[in-house]
């Protein structure tokens, strides 16, 4: 081990890395919000009594959960754009890919939470004269939120992790900036270590937050 | 817009054997990584239960690191950073296997841990009281019972590793996606080439999932 470390190169590139991190957060957060909304729609479709809709939603979740984000982002950015003639920026392609993938994961989270509410509660609220919508909003949803919020938070950590791949289609996120800097300065060990530590810290903080929320919500709901 | 794109599915059909050879690399590299991940994960899980603060602390930290760093970041870190730092010069394949083994171990460790925890600790004490050695207790009492619970989650780890394995093209291992990129480079058929990858990949994942379900059934009704 004769490798001499030189962290000053990383320090000199810090502004670029920070810019990359900001881009990573922008992509992740945009995709996160989209995935959270789309996931709920898919979950509701999956639970709908209309067989065609629930089958379609089921196919959606099975299909998108089966693919690696890397294959998928390449397929969208290089393949699909060619066929449709759509001009997607790397940002848009990244957000779309991550959204489709993680909405499939999140829809399963929502679905299992909604299904975990005993059916008797629904019958009871119908019996009390509450309509379908009121029952969902006032009885089912508040309980679902308690179950879902911690997992929603953890999912954000997963999205940040998956977002590193967007560097491969030329989005200038944290990983892209790291690769560029590492190639520029021949300091691959220092730069990749820095990137790994940053991702690790974000993931740990976000998942801890999820755990904390889980305990809080459980306490306040019982 | 749509319609201007000249589909050349013959490109894919002509290169079918090449793509399948690439898919085979994805598959066997993931399986090798998976076997190593299970071994390492078991070590981590047992380390956490060892009762020595230093060992369980180290095992917990390594598990967290393995789960918190994006596979893409870790791949470049190992291949360009760590190998230079250690002066070892890993081959691309070695780097991929190391990354898959380590990331997989993080997930496998958590699965083993919850599997081991699910067996009542009274059984452990009873076996010890009967004069069995610690090793025998694990081998003959605890593990056979945990095994049934961990088959499905471990199967998901294998699928996850297969997804991460698609990144190996980034460091020039000729896997399916990398070969498809080469085909696209020569014939310019991005949609066809990447769609073929997508289809083969989904087929592989579905087959694996069916296999896992079958194994699980077999273990439930021996």
């Amino acid at each position: 081990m004769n490798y001499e470390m030189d962290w000053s190169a990383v320090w000199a590139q810090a502004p670029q890395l920070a810019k990359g991190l900001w881009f990573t957060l922008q992509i992740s957060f945009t995709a996160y919000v989209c995935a959270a909304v789309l996931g709920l729609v898919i979950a509701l479709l999956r639970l709908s009594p209309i067989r065609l809709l629930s089958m379609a939603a089921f196919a959606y979740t099975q299909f998108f959960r089966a693919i690696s984000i890397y294959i998928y982002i390449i397929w969208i950015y290089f393949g699909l754009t060619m066929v449709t003639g759509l001009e997607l920026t790397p940002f848009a392609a990244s957000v779309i890919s991550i959204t489709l993938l993680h909405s499939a994961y999140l829809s399963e989270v929502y679905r299992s939470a909604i299904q975990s509410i005993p059916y008797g509660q629904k019958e009871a609220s119908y019996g009390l004269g509450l309509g379908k919508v009121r029952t969902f909003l006032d009885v089912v949803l508040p309980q679902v939120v308690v179950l879902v919020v911690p997992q929603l938070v953890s999912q954000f950590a997963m999205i940040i992790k998956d977002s590193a791949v967007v560097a491969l289609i030329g989005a200038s996120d944290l990983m892209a900036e790291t690769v560029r800097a590492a190639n520029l300065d021949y300091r691959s060990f220092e730069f990749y270590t820095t990137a790994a530590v940053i991702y690790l810290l974000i993931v740990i903080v976000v998942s801890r937050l999820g755990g904390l929320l889980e305990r809080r919500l459980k306490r306040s709901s019982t | 817009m749509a319609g201007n794109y000249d589909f050349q599915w013959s490109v894919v059909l002509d290169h079918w054997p090449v793509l399948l050879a690439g898919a085979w690399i994805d598959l066997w590299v993931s399986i090798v990584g998976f076997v190593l991940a299970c071994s390492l994960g078991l070590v981590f899980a047992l380390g956490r239960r060892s009762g020595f603060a230093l060992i369980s602390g180290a095992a917990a930290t390594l598990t967290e690191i393995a789960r918190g760093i994006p596979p893409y970041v870790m791949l470049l870190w190992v291949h360009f950073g760590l190998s230079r730092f250690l002066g070892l010069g890993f081959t691309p394949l070695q780097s991929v296997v190391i990354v898959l083994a380590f990331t997989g171990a993080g997930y496998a460790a958590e699965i083993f841990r919850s599997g081991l925890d699910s067996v009542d600790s009274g059984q452990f004490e009873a076996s010890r009281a009967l004069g069995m050695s610690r090793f025998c207790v694990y081998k003959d009492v605890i593990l056979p019972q945990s095994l049934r619970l961990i088959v499905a989650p471990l199967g998901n780890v294998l699928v996850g590793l297969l997804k991460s394995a698609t990144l190996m093209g980034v460091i020039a291992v000729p896997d399916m996606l990398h070969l498809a990129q080469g085909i696209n480079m020569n014939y310019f058929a991005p949609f066809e080439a990447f769609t073929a990858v997508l289809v083969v990949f989904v087929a592989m994942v579905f087959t694996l999932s069916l296999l896992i379900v079958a194994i699980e059934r077999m273990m439930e009704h021996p």
Side-chain angles (χ1 to χ4, degrees):
Chain A
M1 270 196 254
N2 298 319
Y3 190 83
E4 271 187 45
M5 283 197 264
D6 175 15
W7 292 93
S8 63
V10 175
W11 196 241
Q13 293 282 349
Q16 265 66 43
L17 295 183
K19 219 188 266 174
L21 177 60
W22 177 235
F23 199 69
T24 288
L25 293 175
Q26 278 179 316
I27 287 180
S28 305
F29 192 72
T30 315
Y32 180 57
V33 173
C34 298
V37 175
L38 187 59
L40 186 59
V41 174
I42 305 287
L44 292 177
L45 288 179
R46 177 98 167 76
L47 294 170
S48 91
I50 303 166
R51 220 176 137 65
L52 194 69
L53 291 181
S54 73
M55 288 293 276
F58 176 70
Y60 181 94
T61 55
Q62 293 301 312
F63 180 73
F64 285 115
R65 289 191 309 163
I67 304 169
S68 95
I69 178 86
Y70 182 36
I71 290 183
Y72 196 49
I73 205 165
I74 295 242
W75 184 73
I76 289 189
Y77 189 65
F78 295 111
L80 204 59
T81 48
M82 277 297 156
V83 172
T84 56
L86 271 174
E87 301 229 351
L88 290 178
T89 59
F91 182 87
S94 308
V95 168
I96 292 173
S97 319
I98 298 175
T99 298
L100 290 175
L101 221 71
H102 284 269
S103 61
Y105 284 106
L106 283 173
S107 78
E108 290 293 287
V109 171
Y110 291 125
R111 183 181 63 88
S112 64
I114 293 174
Q115 280 183 332
S116 74
I117 309 298
Y119 193 72
Q121 290 194 16
K122 262 194 204 167
E123 287 178 323
S125 356
Y126 293 155
L128 287 170
L130 287 173
K132 263 193 143 152
V133 178
R134 289 297 301 277
T135 301
F136 183 74
L137 290 180
D138 292 344
V139 179
V140 178
L141 201 58
Q143 300 182 74
V144 167
V145 167
V146 175
L147 292 169
V148 155
V149 164
Q151 295 198 58
L152 269 180
V153 175
S154 318
Q155 197 73 25
F156 187 56
M158 306 287 283
I159 289 182
I160 297 245
K161 268 178 76 181
D162 268 356
S163 79
V165 170
V166 306
L168 291 162
I169 59 163
S172 42
D173 73 325
L174 172 60
M175 198 48 197
E177 291 297 334
T178 307
V179 173
R180 187 189 53 74
N183 290 338
L184 202 69
D185 292 335
Y186 296 107
R187 284 283 154 206
S188 32
F189 179 75
E190 289 85 336
F191 276 109
Y192 290 130
T193 305
T194 308
V197 169
I198 294 174
Y199 279 110
L200 184 62
L201 282 179
I202 298 176
V203 168
I204 288 178
V205 168
V206 173
S207 12
R208 288 281 146 82
L209 202 70
L212 196 80
L213 265 173
E214 190 171 5
R215 283 192 293 278
R216 275 281 163 79
L217 283 170
K218 267 200 186 131
R219 210 182 311 149
S220 64
S221 69
T222 46
Chain B
M1 274 315 282
N4 294 338
Y5 186 81
D6 238 345
F7 287 102
Q8 324 171 58
W9 290 103
S10 61
V11 169
V12 170
L13 295 175
D14 291 346
H15 292 83
W16 206 232
V18 178
L19 287 175
L20 286 185
W24 175 239
I25 293 183
D26 278 311
L27 191 63
W28 77 256
V29 169
S30 330
I31 291 175
V32 171
F34 176 69
V35 171
L36 293 173
C38 286
S39 324
L40 194 60
L42 190 59
V43 172
F44 287 172
L46 292 175
R48 286 191 82 160
R49 290 164 67 97
S50 68
F52 299 105
L54 196 69
I55 295 178
S56 64
T61 311
L62 284 173
T63 309
E64 190 121 47
I65 290 176
R67 290 158 55 95
I69 298 176
Y72 175 43
V73 179
M74 208 186 290
L75 186 63
L76 296 192
W77 183 76
V78 168
H79 191 63
F80 297 116
L82 189 67
S83 69
R84 188 179 295 174
F85 180 74
L86 297 172
L88 281 176
F90 298 128
T91 65
L93 256 184
Q94 284 168 342
S95 299
V96 176
V97 171
I98 291 171
V99 168
L100 294 184
F102 186 56
T103 47
Y107 290 98
E110 291 290 291
I111 293 164
F112 285 129
R113 195 164 67 104
S114 61
L116 294 173
D117 285 347
S118 71
V119 180
D120 189 62
S121 64
Q123 294 194 22
F124 187 86
E125 286 155 23
S127 316
R128 290 287 286 159
L130 286 170
M132 295 171 78
S133 68
R134 280 178 84 95
F135 178 74
C136 268
V137 177
Y138 275 117
K139 185 172 76 74
D140 296 331
V141 181
I142 314 273
L143 279 181
Q145 296 184 69
S146 324
L147 218 55
R148 220 173 327 142
L149 292 171
I150 60 182
V151 167
L154 274 188
N156 289 337
V157 172
L158 176 58
V159 171
L161 290 185
L162 185 61
K163 289 183 192 169
S164 303
T166 56
L167 284 164
M168 69 175 99
V170 174
I171 55 171
V173 184
D175 81 323
M176 180 168 48
L177 186 51
H178 193 69
L179 292 169
Q181 282 168 324
I183 291 169
N184 174 39
M185 211 80 92
N186 285 327
Y187 299 93
F188 193 70
F191 184 75
E192 297 87 328
F194 298 136
T195 303
V197 172
L198 201 81
V199 170
V200 174
F201 194 82
V202 170
M204 282 204 289
V205 170
F206 280 172
T207 314
L208 274 180
S209 310
L210 288 178
L211 242 135
I212 294 158
V213 173
I215 294 174
E216 211 185 2
R217 289 244 174 88
M218 244 163 54
M219 296 187 83
E220 270 169 22
H221 313 284

